[in-house]
Short mmCIF file of all heavy atoms in Angstrom, two decimals:
data_model
loop_
_atom_site.label_atom_id
_atom_site.label_comp_id
_atom_site.label_asym_id
_atom_site.label_seq_id
_atom_site.Cartn_x
_atom_site.Cartn_y
_atom_site.Cartn_z
N VAL A 321 -8.64 -3.02 -22.81
CA VAL A 321 -8.24 -1.66 -22.96
C VAL A 321 -7.38 -1.54 -24.20
O VAL A 321 -6.60 -2.41 -24.53
CB VAL A 321 -7.38 -1.28 -21.73
CG1 VAL A 321 -6.84 0.16 -21.87
CG2 VAL A 321 -8.24 -1.40 -20.42
N ASP A 322 -7.64 -0.45 -24.94
CA ASP A 322 -6.88 -0.14 -26.11
C ASP A 322 -6.15 1.19 -25.84
O ASP A 322 -6.82 2.18 -25.57
CB ASP A 322 -7.84 0.00 -27.30
CG ASP A 322 -6.96 0.31 -28.60
OD1 ASP A 322 -5.73 0.36 -28.63
OD2 ASP A 322 -7.71 0.60 -29.59
N CYS A 323 -4.87 1.19 -25.82
CA CYS A 323 -4.12 2.40 -25.53
C CYS A 323 -3.62 3.14 -26.68
O CYS A 323 -2.79 4.07 -26.63
CB CYS A 323 -2.91 1.99 -24.58
SG CYS A 323 -1.73 0.90 -25.39
N ALA A 324 -4.27 2.87 -27.91
CA ALA A 324 -3.82 3.61 -29.10
C ALA A 324 -3.99 5.11 -29.01
O ALA A 324 -3.16 5.86 -29.45
CB ALA A 324 -4.63 3.04 -30.30
N ARG A 325 -5.11 5.53 -28.41
CA ARG A 325 -5.39 6.95 -28.33
C ARG A 325 -4.34 7.64 -27.44
O ARG A 325 -3.82 8.73 -27.72
CB ARG A 325 -6.75 7.24 -27.83
CG ARG A 325 -7.11 8.70 -27.78
CD ARG A 325 -8.58 8.89 -27.38
NE ARG A 325 -8.89 10.31 -27.23
CZ ARG A 325 -9.95 10.76 -26.67
NH1 ARG A 325 -10.90 9.99 -26.26
NH2 ARG A 325 -10.13 12.06 -26.61
N SER A 326 -4.04 7.04 -26.27
CA SER A 326 -3.09 7.62 -25.35
C SER A 326 -1.69 7.62 -26.00
O SER A 326 -0.83 8.50 -25.76
CB SER A 326 -3.07 6.96 -24.01
OG SER A 326 -2.77 5.59 -24.11
N GLU A 327 -1.41 6.60 -26.79
CA GLU A 327 -0.11 6.53 -27.46
C GLU A 327 0.03 7.69 -28.48
O GLU A 327 1.00 8.34 -28.56
CB GLU A 327 0.06 5.19 -28.19
CG GLU A 327 0.36 4.05 -27.28
CD GLU A 327 0.44 2.73 -28.01
OE1 GLU A 327 -0.40 2.50 -28.95
OE2 GLU A 327 1.30 1.87 -27.70
N GLY A 328 -1.08 7.87 -29.26
CA GLY A 328 -1.05 8.90 -30.30
C GLY A 328 -1.12 10.28 -29.78
O GLY A 328 -0.37 11.18 -30.24
N GLU A 329 -1.97 10.55 -28.76
CA GLU A 329 -2.18 11.94 -28.28
C GLU A 329 -1.16 12.30 -27.17
O GLU A 329 -0.82 13.51 -27.08
CB GLU A 329 -3.58 12.08 -27.73
CG GLU A 329 -4.64 12.03 -28.81
CD GLU A 329 -6.05 12.18 -28.29
OE1 GLU A 329 -6.21 12.61 -27.17
OE2 GLU A 329 -7.03 11.82 -29.02
N LEU A 330 -0.71 11.36 -26.39
CA LEU A 330 0.16 11.71 -25.27
C LEU A 330 1.53 11.11 -25.35
O LEU A 330 2.36 11.44 -24.49
CB LEU A 330 -0.50 11.21 -23.97
CG LEU A 330 -1.93 11.70 -23.70
CD1 LEU A 330 -2.51 11.01 -22.44
CD2 LEU A 330 -1.89 13.20 -23.47
N GLY A 331 1.75 10.27 -26.32
CA GLY A 331 3.04 9.61 -26.47
C GLY A 331 3.29 8.52 -25.38
O GLY A 331 4.46 8.18 -25.16
N PHE A 332 2.20 8.03 -24.89
CA PHE A 332 2.29 6.96 -23.84
C PHE A 332 2.93 5.68 -24.44
O PHE A 332 2.57 5.25 -25.54
CB PHE A 332 0.92 6.64 -23.28
CG PHE A 332 0.84 5.46 -22.40
CD1 PHE A 332 1.37 5.50 -21.13
CD2 PHE A 332 0.28 4.29 -22.80
CE1 PHE A 332 1.33 4.43 -20.28
CE2 PHE A 332 0.21 3.16 -21.98
CZ PHE A 332 0.76 3.28 -20.70
N LYS A 333 3.80 5.10 -23.74
CA LYS A 333 4.49 3.85 -24.15
C LYS A 333 4.17 2.78 -23.06
O LYS A 333 4.73 2.89 -21.95
CB LYS A 333 5.97 3.99 -24.29
CG LYS A 333 6.38 4.99 -25.31
CD LYS A 333 6.16 4.55 -26.69
CE LYS A 333 6.75 5.52 -27.69
NZ LYS A 333 5.95 5.76 -28.85
N PRO A 334 3.28 1.84 -23.33
CA PRO A 334 2.97 0.84 -22.28
C PRO A 334 4.17 -0.05 -22.05
O PRO A 334 4.96 -0.33 -22.93
CB PRO A 334 1.82 0.03 -22.90
CG PRO A 334 1.93 0.25 -24.38
CD PRO A 334 2.53 1.59 -24.55
N GLY A 335 4.32 -0.42 -20.78
CA GLY A 335 5.39 -1.33 -20.39
C GLY A 335 4.93 -2.73 -20.28
O GLY A 335 3.76 -3.03 -20.53
N PRO A 336 5.83 -3.65 -19.94
CA PRO A 336 5.41 -5.13 -19.84
C PRO A 336 4.45 -5.29 -18.63
O PRO A 336 4.54 -4.63 -17.59
CB PRO A 336 6.76 -5.76 -19.58
CG PRO A 336 7.75 -4.73 -19.18
CD PRO A 336 7.24 -3.43 -19.68
N VAL A 337 3.55 -6.21 -18.85
CA VAL A 337 2.58 -6.54 -17.81
C VAL A 337 3.30 -7.06 -16.59
O VAL A 337 2.86 -6.79 -15.43
CB VAL A 337 1.51 -7.62 -18.35
CG1 VAL A 337 0.62 -8.11 -17.28
CG2 VAL A 337 0.71 -7.02 -19.47
N ALA A 340 4.23 -4.32 -14.27
CA ALA A 340 3.06 -3.76 -13.62
C ALA A 340 2.58 -4.63 -12.47
O ALA A 340 2.23 -4.16 -11.36
CB ALA A 340 1.91 -3.56 -14.59
N ARG A 343 4.97 -4.25 -9.53
CA ARG A 343 4.68 -3.00 -8.81
C ARG A 343 3.45 -3.17 -7.92
O ARG A 343 3.38 -2.68 -6.77
CB ARG A 343 4.53 -1.86 -9.73
CG ARG A 343 5.87 -1.34 -10.32
CD ARG A 343 5.69 -0.02 -11.01
NE ARG A 343 4.56 0.03 -11.96
CZ ARG A 343 4.64 -0.29 -13.26
NH1 ARG A 343 5.77 -0.75 -13.74
NH2 ARG A 343 3.59 -0.24 -14.07
#
Side-chain angles (χ1 to χ4, degrees):
V321 177
D322 179 7
C323 61
R325 184 175 174 191
S326 60
E327 287 176 319
E329 293 181 15
L330 304 172
F332 173 73
K333 301 285 187 221
V337 173
R343 285 191 311 272

